[in-house]
């Protein structure tokens, strides 16, 4: 059974605020029913805001951020845990140290300043683009509001419509600590605007100022303060409100999901990029840098907003920022990061599948052959450790033995996989084979299927065992063979199926839904390796057999061939001819030259539509021969 656990790692207090904690809470709510986790925070955090239902562990006070990776290894094995971290202390050196110790790492970022070594970086600012990042080649970026860090009730609210007909109830929130006491200044401003009959003030667990409570006592009919609200309580207060003042932090995303006119700005560096993104999308009213705001600044901004006759345009812009797939995207990212994968691959199909895999998963290593230059170049470019060459006699195993690998996937791999490599994965070693096993075991099965006149082929995901293509079947995809399909066309069809099949297997592993079926040996067939010399046409065959033989090996493959006047003639396409044949003609005899060279076969004639030859003049009555056949 496959099961890894997650360490959610963040700190929060009156100095740094609580936003890092709350963002991770949103991810926990997405995975809590399917994956085991612990919440890890430092001794100096305000851990009282961490829900009691979360399993929590405290990092001792004497453990510095520099010492933390070693402490993590001593307490949580990289074989069992991945890490999801949110905080500015997790700089490049920290990420690099964790990766060197074997952890998979997802990092929640909102600055785009550090060089990133994490496997995945999530930044939900609508402003940030890939160009803003410097990162390791393997690092994947999940950017924009489609990766918003939102708790379930806010995701639900984002799908709902809302129209604001009047503004008379304000919502104010400036985060967990509110170091500049902007909450107080905003409330004082709202009291000066007669339209507001109610003011809801959300104060964080790290809020230390006192004056606002005196103001609440004085205006108890208008002002209500709240502290440490849970998700359901918070969204109820938001839904009562029809105007908000909040910074460009997590609270802005949540308010935008509920939808209302929002005066927003920033007062710390990490909020500025989020602010720019929301402003570009016309989803907020411009507040700018609020750090030095005074009461009058808030008053002037509020009065200007109240003059706007097109408030619902802001709400429409907010709605466009979020869709209904946010939770599933985050779950996919986590599931993809949980799996530690090694890939064995060769050729074009191997490269195509490797590229698609690397976009969604972290590839720990690649084994390939020396002639697969594209795969070698891709591995180099993306800093993926690789071994190119024959893996037998321990060479491949010696390269991979230090990697802690959950799954090894073999995709169009040139070599037979030996038991030392097969047994190295923690969970599964599987292969993608180009036939509907147990039929067409062995090499180039799609070519053999065309040669044999099959109407369908397919791809099979199966367990690798010590024999060739005999392991238990995981999944199969059937692929039709069209009457005009060549070997190359079939590979193009295969290319569309290989990655979805690999991904389906990986998803089954993560979700513990893997099912296996034993191959029926009575139906098994085996076909061996083909070489260019095996392509010679036998003119004693039927026209159907010759046609299949030709299209199976057509360009860009070496091609089916025959001989004419001691010259090798490669034929890439033939068709059935209406020309009548006679018993006086020999099989392989040229019986017509226009519009095609037409040749007699055992049961009719074929047209040679596409020929690869130079300086060759054909003559009626001459016979294509096998004179060079050894």
């Amino acid at each position: 059974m496959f099961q890894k656990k997650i360490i959610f790692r963040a700190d929060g207090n009156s100095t740094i605020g609580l936003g890092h904690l709350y963002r991770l809470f949103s991810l926990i709510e997405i995975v809590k029913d399917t994956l085991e986790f612990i919440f890890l925070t430092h001794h100096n955090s305000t851990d009282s805001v961490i829900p009691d239902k979360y399993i929590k562990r405290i990092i001792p006070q004497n453990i510095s951020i520099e010492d933390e990776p070693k402490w993590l290894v001593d307490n949580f094995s990289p074989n069992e845990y991945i890490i999801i971290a949110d905080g500015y202390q997790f700089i490049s050196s920290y990420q690099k140290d964790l990766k060197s110790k074997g952890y998979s790492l997802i990092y929640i970022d909102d600055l785009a300043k550090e060089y990133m070594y994490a496997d995945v970086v999530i930044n939900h600012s609508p402003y940030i683009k890939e160009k803003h990042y410097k990162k390791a080649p393997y690092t994947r970026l999940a950017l924009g509001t489609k990766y918003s860090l939102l708790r379930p009730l806010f995701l639900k609210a984002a799908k709902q419509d809302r129209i604001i007909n009047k503004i008379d109830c304000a919502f104010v929130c400036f985060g967990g600590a509110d170091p500049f006491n902007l909450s107080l200044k905003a409330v004082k401003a709202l009291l000066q605007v007669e339209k507001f009959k109610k003011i809801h003030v959300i104060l964080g667990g790290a809020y230390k100022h006192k004056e606002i409570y005196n103001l609440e006592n004085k205006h108890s009919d208008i002002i209500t303060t709240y502290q440490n609200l849970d998700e359901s309580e918070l969204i109820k207060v938001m839904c009562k409100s029809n105007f908000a003042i909040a910074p460009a932090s997590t609270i802005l995303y949540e308010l935008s999901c509920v939808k209302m006119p929002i005066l927003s700005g920033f007062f710390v560096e990490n909020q500025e990029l989020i602010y720019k993104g929301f402003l570009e999308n016309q989803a907020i009213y411009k507040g700018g840098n609020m750090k030095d705001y005074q009461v009058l600044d808030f008053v002037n901004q509020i009065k200007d907003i109240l003059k706007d006759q097109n408030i619902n345009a802001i709400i429409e812009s907010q709605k466009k920022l979020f869709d209904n797939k946010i939770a599933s995207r985050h779950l996919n990212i986590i599931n993809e990061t949980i799996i530690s994968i090694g890939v064995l691959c060769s050729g074009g199909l191997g490269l195509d599948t490797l590229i698609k895999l690397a976009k969604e998963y972290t590839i720990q290593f690649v084994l390939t052959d020396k002639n697969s230059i594209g795969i070698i170049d891709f591995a180099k470019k993306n800093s993926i450790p690789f071994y190119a060459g024959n893996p037998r006699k321990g060479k491949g195993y010696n390269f991979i033995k230090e990697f802690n690998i959950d799954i090894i996937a073999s995709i169009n791999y040139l070599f037979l996989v030996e038991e030392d490599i097969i047994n190295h994965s923690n969970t599964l070693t599987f292969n993608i084979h180009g036939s509907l096993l147990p039929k067409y075991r062995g090499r180039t099965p799609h070519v053999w299927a065309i040669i044999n006149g099959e109407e369908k082929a397919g791809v099979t995901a199966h367990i690798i065992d010590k024999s060739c293509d005999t392991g238990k079947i995981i999944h199969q995809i059937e692929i039709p063979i069209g009457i005009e399909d060549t070997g190359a066309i079939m590979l193009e069809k295969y290319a569309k199926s290989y990655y979805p099949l690999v991904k389906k297997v990986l998803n089954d592993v993560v979700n513990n839904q893997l099912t296996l079926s034993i191959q029926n040996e009575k139906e098994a067939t085996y076909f061996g390796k083909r070489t260019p010399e095996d392509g010679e046409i036998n003119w004693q065959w039927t026209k159907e057999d010759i046609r299949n033989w030709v299209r199976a090996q057509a360009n860009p493959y070496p091609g089916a061939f025959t001989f004419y006047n001691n010259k090798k003639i490669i034929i890439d396409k033939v068709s059935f001819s209406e020309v009548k044949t006679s018993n006086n003609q020999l099989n392989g005899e040229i019986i017509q030259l226009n519009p095609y060279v037409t040749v007699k076969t055992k049961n009719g004639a074929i047209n040679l539509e596409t020929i690869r030859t130079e300086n060759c003049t054909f003559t009626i009555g001459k016979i294509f021969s096998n004179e060079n056949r050894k």
Side-chain angles (χ1 to χ4, degrees):
M1 182 176 179
F2 178 85
Q3 186 65 64
K4 276 191 178 178
K5 304 173 187 177
I6 304 173
I7 296 171
F8 287 97
R9 173 72 184 94
D11 299 325
N13 52 42
S14 58
T15 302
I16 62 175
L18 303 176
H20 303 296
L21 298 174
Y22 285 115
R23 287 198 298 204
L24 288 193
F25 295 167
S26 69
L27 289 182
I28 290 174
E29 291 303 307
I30 291 171
V31 306
K32 67 180 182 181
D33 295 328
T34 56
L35 298 170
E36 291 187 53
F37 69 92
I38 64 167
F39 200 99
L40 188 62
T41 192
H42 201 270
H43 185 273
N44 61 10
S45 284
T46 307
D47 65 322
S48 59
V49 302
I50 301 173
D52 293 335
K53 60 185 178 181
Y54 296 172
I55 299 172
K56 177 175 61 179
R57 183 158 175 185
I58 306 298
I59 299 174
Q61 191 170 10
N62 64 316
I63 301 299
S64 68
I65 192 65
E66 292 78 19
D67 297 332
E68 189 174 307
K70 183 180 183 306
W71 182 87
L72 283 166
V73 169
D74 292 340
N75 289 273
F76 305 98
S77 168
N79 297 344
E80 298 179 48
Y81 291 89
I82 73 163
I83 297 173
I84 303 178
D86 188 333
Y88 306 130
Q89 70 272 42
F90 306 126
I91 60 175
S92 300
S93 57
Y94 179 93
Q95 296 179 32
K96 191 174 184 180
D97 202 355
L98 282 187
K99 289 298 298 173
S100 70
K101 289 177 167 51
Y103 286 106
S104 294
L105 172 64
I106 299 173
Y107 179 54
I108 313 300
D109 177 57
D110 52 19
L111 290 179
K113 281 193 168 184
E114 290 291 321
Y115 189 96
M116 298 296 170
Y117 289 96
D119 297 287
V120 183
V121 175
I122 299 173
N123 186 326
H124 64 179
S125 167
Y127 180 78
I128 286 292
K129 303 291 185 291
E130 187 167 350
K131 67 181 181 180
H132 292 109
Y133 275 98
K134 294 180 180 179
K135 62 183 184 65
Y138 60 79
T139 300
R140 292 178 285 132
L141 299 175
L143 307 179
T145 54
K146 64 182 181 179
Y147 295 101
S148 294
L149 297 157
L150 294 164
R151 290 174 283 180
L153 290 178
F154 293 102
L155 290 172
K156 184 178 179 180
K159 303 174 189 176
Q160 298 170 353
D161 293 322
R162 191 183 191 197
I163 296 175
I164 302 294
N165 293 315
K166 65 176 180 177
I167 294 177
D168 61 359
C169 182
F171 177 99
V172 177
C173 180
F174 277 91
D178 190 5
F180 305 107
N181 207 4
L182 294 171
S183 299
L184 178 66
K185 295 173 185 177
V187 171
K188 285 182 175 180
L190 287 163
L191 287 171
Q192 295 183 34
V193 181
E194 290 183 3
K195 276 197 172 187
F196 291 98
K197 309 303 181 187
K198 291 291 296 182
I199 303 170
H200 300 291
V201 188
I202 310 301
L203 303 172
Y207 186 82
K208 302 298 183 185
H209 310 289
K210 302 295 182 183
E211 188 179 347
I212 199 162
Y213 300 113
N214 297 329
L215 198 63
E216 180 183 20
N217 289 333
K218 185 177 179 181
H219 300 278
S220 58
D221 57 327
I222 297 177
I223 301 171
T224 306
T225 63
Y226 308 82
Q227 204 159 15
N228 296 330
L229 295 184
D230 65 21
E231 180 188 3
S232 61
E233 293 167 334
L234 178 60
I235 201 167
K236 284 178 183 177
V237 177
M238 286 184 179
C239 289
K240 292 178 185 177
S241 307
N242 45 40
F243 176 77
I245 303 175
S249 60
T250 301
I251 196 70
L252 178 58
Y253 288 82
E254 295 174 341
L255 285 164
S256 297
C257 288
V258 174
K259 291 175 280 289
M260 66 187 77
I262 306 166
L263 171 60
S264 186
F266 59 93
F267 59 83
V268 289
E269 182 183 16
N270 67 295
Q271 297 170 352
E272 186 173 1
L273 295 179
I274 296 173
Y275 168 74
K276 286 182 177 179
F278 273 80
L279 198 62
E280 280 187 354
N281 284 275
Q282 299 179 328
I284 57 173
Y285 287 96
K286 184 178 181 180
N289 190 341
M290 292 179 162
K291 182 179 178 180
D292 298 320
Y293 258 42
Q294 300 304 316
V295 174
L296 184 59
D297 297 311
F298 280 113
V299 171
N300 292 334
Q301 292 278 18
I302 294 165
K303 287 183 176 179
D304 285 343
I305 292 169
L306 293 176
K307 295 175 186 176
D308 187 5
Q309 300 298 311
N310 200 24
I311 283 172
N312 285 300
I314 292 279
I315 292 173
E316 282 300 310
S317 296
Q318 291 168 355
K319 186 178 178 181
K320 291 176 183 177
L321 290 175
F322 311 101
D323 62 24
N324 60 1
K325 297 179 180 178
I326 292 172
S328 61
R329 286 192 192 98
H330 284 301
L331 189 58
N332 286 342
I333 285 172
I334 293 169
N335 283 339
E336 289 157 4
T337 307
I338 279 175
I339 304 176
S340 175
I341 303 172
V343 178
L344 322 179
C345 59
S346 296
L349 268 179
L351 175 60
D352 179 73
T353 309
L354 177 64
I355 291 171
K356 291 173 181 174
L357 267 173
K359 287 180 179 178
E360 297 192 46
Y361 299 88
T362 300
I363 309 301
Q364 301 295 327
F365 66 77
V366 169
L367 299 189
T368 189
D369 62 284
K370 291 181 179 179
N371 293 323
S372 292
I373 303 301
I375 293 171
I376 294 169
D377 289 344
F378 181 81
K380 288 179 179 178
K381 182 179 178 181
N382 291 275
S383 299
I384 302 172
F386 71 93
Y387 173 86
N390 193 321
R392 297 183 183 123
K393 297 182 180 179
K395 293 177 183 177
Y397 178 71
N398 286 335
F399 179 78
I400 72 169
K401 65 183 180 182
E402 300 303 323
F403 291 93
N404 178 51
I405 291 294
D406 299 310
I407 294 177
I408 295 176
S410 173
I411 303 152
N412 201 45
Y413 192 44
L414 186 63
F415 302 102
L416 190 67
V417 184
E418 294 186 327
E419 287 187 72
D420 52 1
I421 294 176
I422 294 171
N423 296 330
H424 185 62
S425 65
N426 298 328
T427 304
L428 178 69
T429 300
F430 75 99
N431 178 52
I432 303 296
H433 180 72
S435 81
L436 297 173
L437 291 175
K439 295 181 179 179
Y440 292 97
R441 293 172 179 170
R443 302 292 292 274
T444 57
H446 65 293
V447 171
W448 284 114
I450 296 173
I451 288 172
N452 291 336
E454 302 283 3
E455 294 181 353
K456 65 180 180 180
V459 288
T460 300
H462 67 96
I463 300 291
I464 300 179
D465 57 21
K466 61 184 178 180
S467 298
C468 179
D469 302 326
T470 58
K472 294 178 181 177
I473 293 171
I474 307 170
H475 289 295
Q476 291 184 319
I477 297 176
E478 189 175 290
I479 299 173
I481 302 175
I483 194 66
E484 298 293 336
D485 285 349
T486 64
I489 290 173
M490 286 305 295
L491 276 193
E492 291 175 5
K493 290 184 176 182
Y494 278 22
K496 296 176 182 178
S497 299
Y498 264 50
Y499 179 66
L501 190 58
V502 172
K503 189 170 177 64
K504 186 172 179 61
V505 174
L506 299 179
N507 288 341
D508 283 355
V509 171
V510 170
N511 296 317
N512 291 306
Q513 295 176 345
L514 199 67
T515 57
L516 308 174
S517 58
I518 297 172
Q519 295 190 38
N520 184 349
E521 289 300 319
K522 292 180 180 179
E523 297 179 355
T525 57
Y526 178 87
F527 291 85
K529 179 180 179 181
R530 294 185 56 79
T531 67
E533 289 71 29
D534 295 324
E536 187 172 1
I537 298 169
N538 187 334
W539 294 103
Q540 305 309 314
W541 290 337
T542 65
K543 61 183 181 182
E544 291 82 9
D545 287 343
I546 293 173
R547 185 179 187 280
N548 291 337
W549 185 261
V550 168
R551 67 191 179 102
Q553 304 169 79
N555 189 52
Y557 287 11
F561 63 90
T562 188
F563 294 96
Y564 183 83
N565 289 341
N566 295 319
K567 290 184 178 180
K568 186 176 182 180
I569 309 298
I570 298 174
I571 302 168
D572 283 317
K573 185 177 182 182
V574 302
S575 60
F576 299 149
S577 173
E578 299 295 327
V579 175
K580 300 296 184 182
T581 62
S582 72
N583 292 332
N584 295 326
Q585 297 165 332
L586 298 176
N587 294 335
E589 182 178 335
I590 298 173
I591 58 176
Q592 182 173 289
L593 294 178
N594 289 307
Y596 300 106
V597 174
T598 304
V599 184
K600 164 77 166 56
T601 71
K602 180 179 180 179
N603 63 337
I606 57 172
N607 299 317
L608 309 188
E609 291 195 9
T610 306
I611 303 171
R612 280 185 260 170
T613 184
E614 293 181 6
N615 301 320
C616 192
T617 301
F618 298 106
T619 303
I620 292 176
K622 294 284 286 185
I623 299 171
F624 287 113
S625 70
N626 299 322
E627 59 194 85
N628 285 9
R629 179 179 287 184
K630 296 180 181 178

